[in-house]
Structures are given as C-alpha cells and as structure tokens.
Amino acid sequence: MKIKMILPALTEAKNPYWRPIKYSLFPPLGLATLAAYGSAHDEIDLQDEHVEKLNINDSPDLVVIQVYITNAYRSYALADHYRKKGVYVCLGGLHVSSLPEEAMPHADSIFIGPGEDIFPQFLKDFRKKNPKRIYVNAKREIDDIPPIRRDLIKRNLYLVPNSIVVSRGCPHHCDFCYKDAFFEGGKSFYTQRVDAALKEID
Ligand code: B12
C-alpha cells in the first residue's frame, strides 16, 4: 500500500519575513511514530512542509495528515485535494482532537488523541476494507511502541534531527503553553521506559 504522510506548515514557515529557520528545528516525530505501525510491504512517503516543497501530484492509497490549529485550513485544502482524486484521507492530531466536527467534512476517518492504539486498529480495518469514520484514543501509554521510523526523516533538513520524546503530558500550567488550552487543569503525564529511551539514543 502507498501511504503519504504530511505535516503541513503554517503561513509563517513560508514567509522569509518570519525567519522560517525556526521551523527547521525538529522533525515530525508524531508521523514517524505512526509510520511504525505500517507493514513491511507499505511504501511510506513522509513530507514535512516546514522544510520541503510538498509534492501533491501523486496518487497514494492513503493520506495521513497531522493537523494543528495553525495549519488547519492548509490541512483541509490538502485533504480536499486528495479526496477529489478518490484517495482515502485520515486527519488527526491536536486540532482534530479539539474540533472533530470541523475536521469531519474533510476526512474519510478522523482520529482523536494520541495514535498508538487507534492508528494500528484503523490500518487493520482499512486493509479489511471496513474502516470507521471516527477513532477515539483509549490507551494512554508509550511503554511498548514500535521503533519510530526515523529512516523516513530527511535528517539533513533539520537543525536537531535527533529529537526524542520520552514523556507525554505535563503537570505544570505555564501561561504561554497550549497545554491548558487542550487539557484544562491537566496534571497527569506518562513516560517511556528508561531502557527504551536509552536504546533509542544508542
Ligand atoms: C517538535 C514540535 C514542533 C516542530 C515539529 C512539529 C511536529 N509535529 O513534529 C515545529 C518546529 C514544526 C513546530 C511548529 C509549531 N509548533 Co510546535 N511543538 C513541537 C513539540 C515540542 C513536539 C511535537 C512532537 O514531536 N510530539 C510528540 C509526537 C509523538 O506527538 P504528536 O506530534 O502530537 O503526534 C501524536 C498525536 O498527536 C497523534 N497524531 C498526530 N497527528 C496524527 C494524525 C493521525 C491520522 C493520527 C491517527 C494520529 C495523529 O499521534 C501521534 C502519536 O501519538 C510540541 C510539544 C509536544 N511535546 O508535543 C510542540 C507543540 C505541538 N507546538 C506548538 C506550537 C504553538 C507550534 C507553533 C504554532 C509555533 C509557532 N508560533 O510557530 C508551530 C505550528 C506548526 C504548524 N504547522 O502549525 C504547541 C501547540 C500547537 C498548536 N498549534 O496546536 C505545542 C503543543 C507546544 C506547547 N506546549 O504549546 N512544533
């Protein structure tokens, strides 16, 4: 199966006035994490619009887009573009988790919350030609996630290609941070096992 994964940029990333260099900091680990649930036969093309020109003149079997509030309209336009070509589109990430009803008209399937449990479930359903419209994350843990597909990341395009995520969630409430906008008063967080993190560093 041909799978296209896209992290759309935000306007600032494409406008020299805003010093786009800051958007070349870190690679899209979220999508590279999801890619790990594909099978060995799947051909995955991961594109990050912050650091490269998107090629959308292709016909993958499946398109997976990570949506933030700041790239939402761009994401919807990309989704509409591919759906018009009959390509199956999945939308997920922070903004879809916040406003699922807004994303729904632009997607074949939407995903709410982290993808570690719902994305592999979707791939199983999709291969059986019986995918659902909405998938909601139920399990919040990152103990046993498969190795992130770092081979799909174009390392030379990033200032910090070696970023890793060993925890999710945060007990603090900094006023500049989006966290409380998503999880008011959120306190919990969960972590990867140290050995797994050390293995990833190795
Ligand atoms: C690295 C990073 C960046 C990088 C790369 C982004 C990326 N996606 O990789 C860059 C520099 C590009 C970036 C840019 C910005 N960022 Co930033 N970024 C982060 C950071 C530190 C890590 C992201 C990450 O790798 N998370 C770990 C991975 C594993 O999780 P994930 O990406 O969320 O993906 C998981 C789920 O969301 C889900 N998922 C995501 N997409 C999809 C799609 C499908 C189909 C499915 C099934 C599941 C799914 O499954 C994944 C695995 O569980 C986060 C804070 C954080 N710790 O998350 C802030 C964070 C996401 N960024 C933030 C902000 C404010 C921005 C900017 C607006 C900054 C600015 N002023 O320009 C821009 C917006 C970019 C845009 N295009 O809209 C905010 C919130 C963003 C928002 N708008 O909603 C955060 C939360 C920081 C904060 N605490 O406030 N960012």
Side-chain angles (χ1 to χ4, degrees):
M1 179 160 71
K2 279 198 179 148
I3 304 177
K4 177 72 168 280
M5 301 187 125
I6 305 174
L7 174 63
L10 74 172
T11 313
E12 282 84 347
K14 296 293 152 186
N15 175 329
Y17 174 77
W18 292 97
R19 292 190 317 108
I21 187 75
K22 83 172 188 179
Y23 297 108
S24 307
L25 269 175
F26 305 118
L29 288 185
L31 292 175
T33 302
L34 297 177
Y37 294 100
S39 80
H41 313 296
D42 293 334
E43 208 187 303
I44 302 181
D45 173 13
L46 195 164
Q47 291 205 331
D48 175 358
E49 196 189 13
H50 296 93
V51 294
E52 61 190 315
K53 192 164 171 359
L54 288 184
N55 153 25
I56 58 172
N57 305 319
D58 54 352
S59 299
D61 303 302
L62 181 64
V63 168
V64 172
I65 301 177
Q66 174 160 22
V67 188
Y68 286 124
I69 188 170
T70 27
N71 69 10
Y73 293 151
R74 198 178 281 256
S75 301
Y76 300 152
L78 282 166
D80 299 347
H81 162 80
Y82 276 109
R83 292 181 81 210
K84 238 183 264 122
K85 298 206 281 190
V87 178
Y88 196 98
V89 172
C90 296
L91 294 181
L94 287 172
H95 190 61
V96 174
S97 304
S98 312
L99 272 185
E101 59 284 354
E102 184 194 81
M104 190 67 122
H106 303 279
D108 297 291
S109 291
I110 63 166
F111 299 77
I112 295 164
E116 282 71 21
D117 57 348
I118 45 181
F119 192 61
Q121 182 52 50
F122 161 78
L123 287 176
K124 258 201 227 99
D125 300 345
F126 186 71
R127 292 185 207 285
K128 278 188 280 168
K129 307 211 172 329
N130 168 28
K132 292 202 280 292
R133 283 285 272 143
I134 303 181
Y135 290 80
V136 181
N137 164 272
K139 216 172 57 164
R140 293 284 170 105
E141 61 186 34
I142 48 176
D143 304 18
D144 57 0
I145 56 176
I148 293 177
R149 288 289 309 275
R150 291 181 179 277
D151 57 300
L152 298 172
I153 291 172
K154 304 175 183 78
R155 299 171 55 77
N156 61 316
L157 299 178
Y158 297 96
L159 296 167
V160 189
N162 295 337
S163 56
I164 77 171
V165 174
V166 295
S167 66
R168 306 278 180 79
C170 175
H172 303 300
H173 309 285
C174 308
D175 59 9
F176 57 81
C177 175
Y178 268 71
K179 185 195 67 106
D180 278 341
F182 298 107
F183 304 105
E184 193 152 8
K187 286 195 181 40
S188 67
F189 63 96
Y190 50 109
T191 64
Q192 203 178 11
R193 271 200 298 274
V194 173
D195 294 348
L198 292 173
K199 200 152 144 278
E200 201 173 345
I201 291 171
D202 288 345

